[in-house]
Every structure is written in C-alpha cells, then in structure tokens.
Amino acid sequence: HGRVIFIGDSAHIVPIFGVRGLNNGLADAYNVGWKLSYVLNGDADASLLDTYSPERRGATLDVFANASKSARFMTPPTRGSSLVRDAVLSLALRHEFVRPFINPRQMEAYAYLDGQSDIVRRRDTEFAEGPRAGSVCPNVRLKDGSYFLDEIGPGFTGILFADEPEAKTPLFTELDGLDPRFTALSVADEDVTRAFGAAPGAFYLLRPDLHIAGRWLRNEPNEIIHVMKCALGKDLR
C-alpha cells in the first residue's frame, strides 16, 4: 500500500493453533527482503516488488487449506468424518502410513508455481526428476560432511552440471554482469547431480531466497539470461 509492505499477521490473520503463523511471517520477510534489497541498491527494477503479493498470497491460501484439514480432524463436522478420525487414531498406534492424517499441516516450503513464464514451464517439463522450478533448492549432504547450500552465495546462483568442474564460462560472466552478488557453481558431484535429476550440461538458476527460478536439461544461455532478467523485474517488452 504505497510505500508500506505488509508481512506476517499484518498481512494475513491465521488461526492461532497449529498454523505456523510465525514461520509464514518469516517466509514473507524472506521473500520481500531480497527483492527490497535489490531495488534499493539499483540492481533490480521496482516492479520486482509487485511479485511479493501474488507469491506469498498463494502460500497463505495453502496454509489456510491445511489449517482447515487440521480443524476438521480435531472437530469432525459429520459422523463420517468422526469415523475416519477415530480409525486413524486407532491405526496410527501400529501403522505409520496413517500418521500424516493426524498432522496434515504444511511441513515443506511453499513452491512458487504460479506466474512462471512459458520458457520456465516448458523447460521444467523436460526433467523426469529433481526439484521443480519454483520450489526450494534441496540441501544435499556432501561426502565431506558439509552441505550443498553452504556453497550458495547471497545473490542469484547459477549451477552448471558437468563431468568435471569447469572454469568460469561466458554464461557465468554475463550473469555476473546482471547481479553483482551472483555466484557461479560448476558441479560434478554424483549425489548432487542425482538429487537435482540432472546430467552433464544441465543448468539450474537459483534466486537469493533459494527458490529455483528455472532449470534446463541442456544449457540454453539466451533463455537463461532472459529468465534472469525477468527474475530481476526487468521490462523485456
């Protein structure tokens, strides 16, 4: 509203019991924080801030849906619902498969799937496995005991999968020119490659909040640069 950005309970009131209101308020701040930083530093267009509301509103509606599931389980509205609830509670003592019914709340980071460009959607469907564009980057444990996200920088990150780690590529140089905080990673680790459903030549572009801006089964420099500019709120018309 003008120069005011609403986050957390000032933006959306959620039931007090079991809906992770604080968690989602922090997720709101994480989403708008990097965008505000880029705009204030002149590294992104002010229109980037317009993406905050639709992304986090979708996440909030998802929270509401999960809250409704919890409420129906605790206070069944029908006799059938009561029978299901009682059966689940009884079976959960011995069978693990029914236990998620007891705790149906959102336990994973929300994926920003709406509002993606045709390029991002089309390239995403070429993968058979791995995290979808819009979801959060997985944190793979490496052979030395560290974690993959320890390698991610404070800005956008480009991940190029290769047979052997490569030196800085022309694509990395161009992306670095778009974001002064850009981090280039060349990955040959088999565990990381498998977790991403990737193969040599694949490329992932991460936003500063660790959500995947786009992924390509084959390196497509022009498309990657275009998606990076869109992620910075650049007017490409």
Side-chain angles (χ1 to χ4, degrees):
H1 183 73
R3 296 176 62 83
V4 178
I5 297 172
F6 296 90
I7 68 173
D9 285 352
S10 70
H12 41 75
I13 300 298
V14 296
I16 192 171
F17 181 77
V19 193
R20 302 171 73 238
L22 175 61
N23 303 58
N24 286 281
L26 291 173
D28 290 344
Y30 201 32
N31 181 287
V32 77
W34 75 267
K35 296 173 181 177
L36 189 59
S37 172
Y38 271 69
V39 171
L40 292 175
N41 282 288
D43 299 322
D45 189 84
S47 63
L48 178 61
L49 297 176
D50 295 334
T51 65
Y52 164 68
S53 286
E55 287 187 345
R56 292 308 302 163
R57 175 169 170 76
T60 300
L61 293 176
D62 191 55
V63 168
F64 289 165
N66 284 289
S68 297
K69 292 178 184 177
S70 294
R72 286 196 299 271
F73 189 85
M74 291 185 291
T75 56
T78 65
R79 184 171 179 272
S81 297
S82 295
L83 288 172
V84 171
R85 191 269 308 274
D86 294 345
V88 167
L89 291 175
S90 176
L91 291 169
L93 296 173
R94 301 182 305 277
H95 302 285
E96 187 173 349
F97 78 93
V98 298
R99 292 171 189 169
F101 288 100
I102 299 175
N103 185 13
R105 292 174 290 138
Q106 177 192 12
M107 302 303 290
E108 298 180 357
Y110 181 74
Y112 301 134
L113 302 179
D114 295 331
Q116 295 177 343
S117 69
D118 291 340
I119 292 175
V120 171
R121 291 182 185 277
R122 184 175 72 253
R123 293 304 183 186
D124 193 61
T125 60
E126 295 178 0
F127 284 78
E129 298 178 317
R132 297 180 62 186
S135 62
V136 172
C137 175
N139 195 13
V140 184
R141 186 182 177 92
L142 305 179
K143 293 181 176 62
D144 62 3
S146 63
Y147 288 87
F148 181 66
L149 291 186
D150 294 336
E151 309 296 324
I152 304 299
F156 281 80
T157 299
I159 307 170
L160 176 63
F161 293 88
D163 290 317
E164 297 290 338
E166 297 184 20
K168 200 167 187 179
T169 66
L171 172 60
F172 282 154
T173 300
E174 194 152 359
L175 294 175
D176 188 61
L178 294 173
D179 178 9
R181 286 166 280 190
F182 179 77
T183 298
L185 292 179
S186 182
V187 175
D189 185 283
E190 293 180 0
D191 292 336
V192 177
T193 301
R194 188 180 308 109
F196 281 77
F203 190 92
Y204 273 70
L205 180 65
L206 305 185
R207 304 186 336 180
D209 60 2
L210 305 181
H211 283 263
I212 298 166
R215 61 177 182 164
W216 291 261
L217 201 56
R218 292 165 297 281
N219 196 348
E220 301 282 352
N222 291 336
E223 288 186 6
I224 295 168
I225 292 166
H226 176 86
V227 170
M228 173 82 159
K229 289 180 177 178
C230 289
L232 288 169
K234 305 290 186 182
D235 187 352
L236 302 180
R237 292 175 295 176

